[in-house]
């Protein structure tokens, strides 16, 4: 997946990163030690082979000159904090961070080195037909169970793991949603709707957010493509950059409840333990779908994505607004 936010590096810089993370004795010879991984739209990711033959992954934040959305500022530091928290407070498998660097002197951005997980990406393998249907079903159920375990981690305040924190969920969620709308306005993104109309739909329903009183760890971005599967079991959860303390109902695995494009959430729900939703819970879920739809639409400009991606995102926003009673 390509994006202008991907901070690609030369083999010379990658060698310097390996030396800093693993020491000079692990710097490899030749120029064929690194392979760029295609996961994700945002960060650059490299699979590297160290001199002793071991493998590791380097993850590099966007370069300083690329304009980012408000929520994306310092997001790699949020990811590192989230990974450390998950390892400390749960049994959910995440790659071990070997080294992190926020000096910016090697690549002009934050980066970290982490454990390589030798496993298939659940989402990619499922789409390619490489997994039997029962394995895919069990994988999504296991992912839901792991996500439920993550939600068991309780924080002191609402908002991104690394901050800023908010006293209440309505304040946190509404501030972050308003930030996305402001990002869109700043970049001149045509939402297909007046931004004030979109904001009013949110405000008219935001009272239900007060139902959330416990700041629980929420991955936000735990799609099937952010999980690794081996022998029918999820062995690692990756990409924790958007993690926050908030409402578990905003988890990505539930998006298919509202948007038909996304996978059927039935097996995920089994593992997640979600059965019948109350009226308030359903409205909250719709609000998070609205938040996601606006984010995906605004991202198309910041990522300089294709016109087809932009039109698709506009369709998702139309659906999300319809769920909350706003139609043309």
């Amino acid at each position: 997946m390509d994006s202008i936010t991907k901070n690609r590096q030369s083999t010379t810089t990658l060698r310097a990163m390996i030396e800093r993370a693993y020491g000079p004795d692990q710097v490899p010879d030749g120029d064929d030690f690194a392979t760029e991984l295609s996961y994700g739209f945002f960060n650059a990711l490299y699979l590297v082979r160290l001199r002793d033959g071991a493998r590791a992954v380097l993850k590099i934040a966007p370069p300083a000159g690329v304009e980012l959305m408000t929520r994306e500022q310092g997001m790699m530091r949020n990811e590192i904090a989230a990974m450390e928290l998950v390892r400390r407070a749960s049994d959910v498998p995440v790659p071990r961070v070997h080294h992190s660097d926020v000096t910016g002197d090697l690549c002009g951005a934050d980066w970290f080195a982490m454990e390589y997980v030798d496993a298939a990406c659940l989402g990619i393998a499922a789409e390619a037909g490489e997994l039997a249907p029962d394995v895919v079903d069990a994988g999504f159920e296991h992912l839901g169970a792991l996500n439920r375990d993550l939600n068991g981690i309780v924080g002191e305040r609402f908002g991104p793991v690394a901050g800023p924190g908010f006293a209440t969920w309505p304040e946190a969620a509404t501030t972050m949603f308003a930030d996305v709308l402001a990002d869109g306005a700043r970049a001149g993104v045509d939402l297909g709707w007046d931004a004030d109309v979109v904001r009013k739909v949110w405000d008219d329903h935001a009272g239900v957010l007060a139902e959330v009183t416990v700041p629980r760890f929420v991955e936000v971005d735990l799609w099937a493509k952010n999980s690794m599967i081996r022998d029918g079991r999820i062995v690692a959860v990756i990409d924790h950059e958007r993690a926050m303390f908030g409402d578990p109902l905003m988890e990505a695995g539930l998006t298919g409840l509202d948007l038909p494009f996304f996978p059927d959430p039935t097996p995920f729900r089994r593992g997640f333990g979600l059965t019948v939703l109350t009226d308030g819970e359903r409205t909250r879920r719709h609000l998070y779908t609205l938040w996601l739809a606006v984010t995906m639409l605004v991202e198309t400009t910041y990522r300089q994505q294709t016109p087809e991606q932009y039109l698709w995102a506009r369709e998702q926003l139309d659906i999300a607004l319809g769920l909350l009673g706003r139609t043309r």
Side-chain angles (χ1 to χ4, degrees):
M1 301 177 186
D2 207 3
S3 169
I4 63 168
T5 61
K6 291 200 172 185
N7 192 2
R8 295 182 172 92
Q9 298 298 317
S10 67
T11 54
T12 299
T13 301
L14 295 176
R15 282 196 188 91
M17 290 177 163
I18 290 172
E19 180 174 1
R20 183 168 294 181
Y22 298 101
D25 292 342
Q26 285 286 31
V27 178
D29 297 319
D31 290 331
D32 61 349
F33 64 91
T35 302
E36 185 179 357
L37 301 175
S38 61
Y39 301 145
F41 281 108
F42 192 65
N43 300 291
L45 203 65
Y46 291 92
L47 171 61
V48 297
R49 184 188 70 256
L50 306 182
R51 181 176 290 182
D52 66 1
R55 289 179 288 182
V57 174
L58 304 180
K59 190 167 187 178
I60 307 167
V66 173
E67 186 175 13
L68 302 176
M69 296 170 63
T70 302
R71 177 73 173 85
E72 296 168 343
Q73 307 290 336
M75 203 155 62
M76 183 163 283
R77 301 183 190 195
N78 190 71
E79 177 169 20
I80 293 168
M83 293 174 75
E84 292 173 347
L85 175 62
V86 170
R87 290 193 67 86
R88 183 174 69 249
S90 81
D91 294 323
V92 175
V94 296
R96 188 178 299 276
V97 176
H98 295 152
H99 176 84
S100 61
D101 193 312
V102 297
T103 63
D105 62 336
L106 292 182
C107 61
D110 296 345
W111 64 276
F112 66 91
M114 64 178 168
E115 171 188 7
Y116 167 70
V117 179
D118 188 8
C121 170
L122 171 59
I124 292 175
E127 284 185 1
E130 297 171 355
L131 301 174
D134 62 320
V135 174
V136 175
D137 189 86
F140 273 92
E141 182 172 348
H142 188 201
L143 189 62
L146 291 174
N147 207 154
R148 179 192 62 211
D149 291 346
L150 288 170
N151 298 150
I153 302 172
V154 176
E156 296 180 355
R157 294 174 68 80
F158 293 95
V161 173
F166 299 86
T168 70
W169 180 233
E171 181 187 8
T174 297
T175 297
M176 288 186 280
F177 180 72
D179 284 343
V180 178
L181 287 176
D183 290 334
R186 186 172 67 250
V189 179
D190 179 6
L191 302 178
W193 296 81
D194 188 299
D196 290 339
V197 170
V198 177
R199 176 59 190 261
K200 186 175 189 308
V201 170
W202 176 278
D203 290 343
D204 286 348
H205 295 85
V208 297
L209 298 173
E211 295 177 353
V212 181
T213 58
V214 178
R216 296 190 175 277
F217 183 94
V218 181
E219 275 285 4
V220 180
D221 219 18
L222 189 48
W223 309 96
K225 290 182 180 179
N226 285 339
S227 64
M228 310 300 289
I229 189 169
R230 185 174 59 234
D231 299 329
R233 300 289 290 172
I234 303 296
V235 295
V237 172
I238 61 175
D239 282 0
H240 308 266
E241 57 207 18
R242 296 183 184 275
M244 67 175 70
F245 292 106
D247 181 1
L249 282 178
M250 72 184 301
E251 294 289 22
L254 300 174
T255 306
L257 289 171
D258 293 340
L259 300 178
F261 173 86
F262 292 88
D264 176 5
T266 301
F268 180 90
R269 288 179 68 177
R270 285 200 304 269
F272 196 69
L274 180 65
T275 53
V276 178
L277 276 69
T278 66
D279 289 344
E281 289 171 337
R282 188 166 298 281
T283 299
R284 278 156 44 202
R285 180 57 246 180
H286 292 341
L287 284 172
Y288 306 143
T289 298
L290 176 62
W291 185 353
L292 173 64
V294 174
T295 300
M296 293 190 299
L297 183 49
V298 173
E299 281 177 347
T300 63
T301 294
Y302 282 84
R303 306 281 191 278
Q304 294 186 8
Q305 293 171 342
T306 65
E308 291 77 16
Q309 181 71 17
Y310 166 78
L311 292 174
W312 174 84
R314 276 188 53 162
E315 291 173 358
Q316 308 315 302
L317 178 56
D318 289 347
I319 296 171
L321 288 167
L323 292 169
L324 291 164
R326 181 73 192 202
T327 57
R328 295 190 186 280

